[in-house]
Amino acid sequence: MRISVLGLGYVGCVSAACLADLGHEVIGVDVNQAKVDLVNDGRTPVVEERIGELISEVVRTGALRATGDVREAIMGSEVSLVCVGTPSEPNGSLCTTYLERVAEQIGAAVAERDGQDGRHTVVFRSTMLPGTCLNLLVPILEKHTGGTAGVDFGVAVNPEFLREGTSVRDFFDPPKTVVGELDPASGDVVAALYEGLPGEVFRVSVPTAEAIKYADNAFHGLKIGFANELGAVCQALGVDPHQVMDVFLADRKLNISPAYLRPGFAFGGSCLPKDLRSLVHAARRADVSVPILSHVLPSNSDHLQRAVDLVERTGKRRAGLFGLSFKPGTDDLRESPLVELAERLIGKGYDLRIHDANVSLSRLLGANREYIETRLPHIAQLLVDSVGEVLEHAEVCLVGTKDPAVLSALPHGDGTVLIDLVRMPDAEARRTEPGYVGLVW
């Protein structure tokens, strides 16, 4: 394809050179004339492994050239990759100035094309918050082109996953390719750019593509911060942190895996809360600051409060709760988030009924019974034996279990508000039903 790449920083320069190497005809664009001149001389404007020889080769063969003229680049291409910077404003917000400016320039140039050589596709590769493309950039493009996005010109979001220092390698061996498409034709164009490269291709909505980049980077930052904090605590306690992390990383079933990485309800139980408290306390005694670890439990509590807030918003007073133990298949109530949820609702004056097929007062023993009688002293009046008793009582039901007997009995749009805490198997189908609310989508 004939591609224009707007912005010749690390992402744009590497993308331009690698796409040219794949056989595309590429025009790089930058407001900095020095960068333009370097590329046209076959030299790299960025320091990056392999990029120097790659640019030299693709410029020599005529597959890549550069210009400072956006109009010239758009008129000479069918696809535009926007790779301009999105730095932070002083208050931490995203600066979209460069994105807006280049969208105006692209729009004006596309208007001049007037459909020549087919539909032009604008692909945003810059990192931007969900909603930026559809709510800010598409209206700018439509205003300046005089056309309709997805009809007169294509729009897509194609986040990059290039690490500085290894970005050329990352381009040719990506962990994944994400195509956020406004319409299927726009997605087809982007997918064709990377045809033949390894890694799974995910074709998703535009806002999803925007969010995926933030999910990746936030998790990378979290991983580094977690490893550093844990390492500091281990070192203070006289433990080799590298040996600890070597064993930690060897666990591909629970640690380095999809386990615990699905949005849902708060965690609880007899292990996670107490062990986090102990670790944070040990860090404080050793005078080690662990802001990430020390905020895990407060974050968990805030997430639980979101469920309470959803109930309050309904304005209803008779509530039902399905599930009480801290996880399916057990009657362990110790530090169960559902017990905490019930406690908060009762404290706010809600008339509550609870059903959990695994929980029977007559079978609760020892610390488990002591815990629930302390937290919910009137538990005997709250627990009922059947799903039907909860449904008959409640105006709003909180679903904290995937028990088939509960799920099969839940009503569909009969006026009862269902607050889904676990993402029920039929959640997608229920989304359009009146009264259905998901805690996390």
Side-chain angles (χ1 to χ4, degrees):
M1 295 184 195
R2 293 176 299 132
I3 305 166
S4 51
V5 176
L6 293 94
L8 292 175
Y10 280 90
V11 172
C13 191
V14 170
S15 297
C18 293
L19 286 166
D21 189 65
L22 288 176
H24 301 290
E25 182 184 325
V26 183
I27 309 173
V29 188
D30 204 281
V31 294
N32 188 323
Q33 189 60 40
K35 289 184 180 181
V36 172
D37 293 340
L38 282 169
V39 170
N40 285 331
D41 287 342
R43 294 183 291 160
T44 175
V46 299
V47 176
E48 189 68 34
E49 181 187 83
R50 285 180 57 194
I51 194 65
E53 50 267 46
L54 192 59
I55 287 181
S56 176
E57 176 61 20
V58 293
V59 169
R60 184 189 65 79
T61 62
L64 172 65
R65 66 183 179 87
T67 179
D69 189 337
V70 172
R71 179 185 174 279
E72 174 195 350
I74 301 302
M75 299 301 281
S77 62
E78 55 199 306
V79 186
S80 294
L81 264 60
V82 178
C83 302
V84 298
T86 50
S88 291
E89 296 284 14
N91 66 357
S93 64
L94 187 76
C95 174
T96 59
T97 302
Y98 307 117
L99 282 170
E100 293 174 57
R101 186 179 304 156
V102 80
E104 291 170 358
Q105 294 172 315
I106 292 173
V110 169
E112 283 192 54
R113 284 170 53 95
D114 196 26
Q116 67 181 35
D117 299 327
R119 194 177 84 156
H120 197 83
T121 302
V122 184
V123 182
F124 292 98
R125 206 149 158 76
S126 304
T127 300
M128 51 193 185
L129 288 165
T132 305
C133 182
L134 296 184
N135 299 334
L136 176 66
L137 302 177
V138 164
I140 291 174
L141 288 168
E142 290 183 332
K143 174 184 175 182
H144 288 270
T145 60
T148 301
V151 178
D152 302 301
F153 60 92
V155 173
V157 168
N158 172 223
E160 48 80 21
F161 305 100
L162 308 176
R163 298 166 295 172
E164 289 189 29
T166 61
S167 58
V168 173
R169 269 186 284 159
D170 291 341
F171 183 96
F172 289 116
D173 187 18
K176 58 184 175 289
T177 297
V178 176
V179 181
E181 55 191 35
L182 185 65
D183 60 292
S186 297
D188 290 344
V189 169
V190 180
L193 291 176
Y194 307 107
E195 192 173 347
L197 292 182
E200 190 170 354
V201 177
F202 296 91
R203 295 180 63 162
V204 296
S205 71
V206 166
T208 298
E210 291 169 312
I212 286 167
K213 176 68 174 180
Y214 282 92
D216 281 30
N217 282 355
F219 191 48
H220 297 331
L222 179 63
K223 287 189 291 185
I224 293 167
F226 169 79
N228 288 339
E229 285 192 6
L230 196 69
V233 175
C234 287
Q235 192 161 330
L237 299 179
V239 178
D240 181 349
H242 295 284
Q243 190 173 39
V244 170
M245 291 309 292
D246 284 345
V247 177
F248 174 88
L249 292 167
D251 181 348
R252 301 291 169 136
K253 186 173 182 180
L254 298 179
N255 292 346
I256 311 304
S257 75
Y260 310 120
L261 279 173
R262 301 291 183 190
F265 194 44
F267 65 80
S270 59
C271 296
L272 299 188
K274 81 172 180 65
D275 292 345
L276 274 162
R277 280 193 291 266
S278 297
L279 186 61
V280 170
H281 181 69
R284 287 177 181 151
R285 287 187 59 190
D287 201 23
V288 175
S289 174
V290 287
I292 293 174
L293 293 172
S294 64
H295 280 84
V296 174
L297 286 173
S299 171
N300 194 52
S301 180
D302 286 353
H303 191 57
L304 193 152
Q305 183 60 38
R306 292 182 186 112
V308 177
D309 294 342
L310 287 177
V311 177
E312 290 189 300
R313 281 181 214 148
T314 67
K316 302 180 184 299
R317 304 306 301 173
R318 295 198 313 276
L321 175 60
F322 292 111
L324 194 61
S325 61
F326 90 95
K327 65 186 294 187
T330 178
D331 68 348
D332 195 345
L333 303 172
R334 290 171 295 172
E335 300 216 43
S336 166
L338 293 170
V339 170
E340 173 70 19
L341 176 59
E343 189 176 25
R344 292 192 193 187
L345 292 173
I346 291 167
K348 289 179 174 292
Y350 285 90
D351 184 3
L352 183 65
R353 297 292 182 275
I354 304 169
H355 173 72
D356 187 324
N358 291 314
V359 177
S360 168
L361 276 180
S362 62
R363 294 199 305 266
L364 293 179
L365 302 171
N368 199 11
R369 187 178 186 101
E370 182 182 340
Y371 177 82
I372 194 62
E373 288 180 342
T374 301
R375 300 303 294 269
L376 294 174
H378 305 296
I379 183 67
Q381 286 127 40
L382 303 175
L383 274 176
V384 297
D385 294 329
S386 70
V387 176
E389 288 177 81
V390 175
L391 293 175
E392 186 178 339
H393 164 81
E395 301 168 287
V396 53
C397 288
L398 295 109
V399 184
T401 177
K402 291 186 179 180
D403 181 348
V406 171
L407 299 181
S408 62
L410 293 176
H412 291 267
D414 73 339
T416 304
V417 177
L418 295 180
I419 297 178
D420 183 357
L421 306 178
V422 294
R423 191 168 173 85
M424 297 185 288
D426 61 348
E428 282 292 342
R430 284 186 177 269
R431 284 186 76 170
T432 57
E433 292 180 2
Y436 174 82
V437 183
L439 176 62
V440 176
W441 277 103

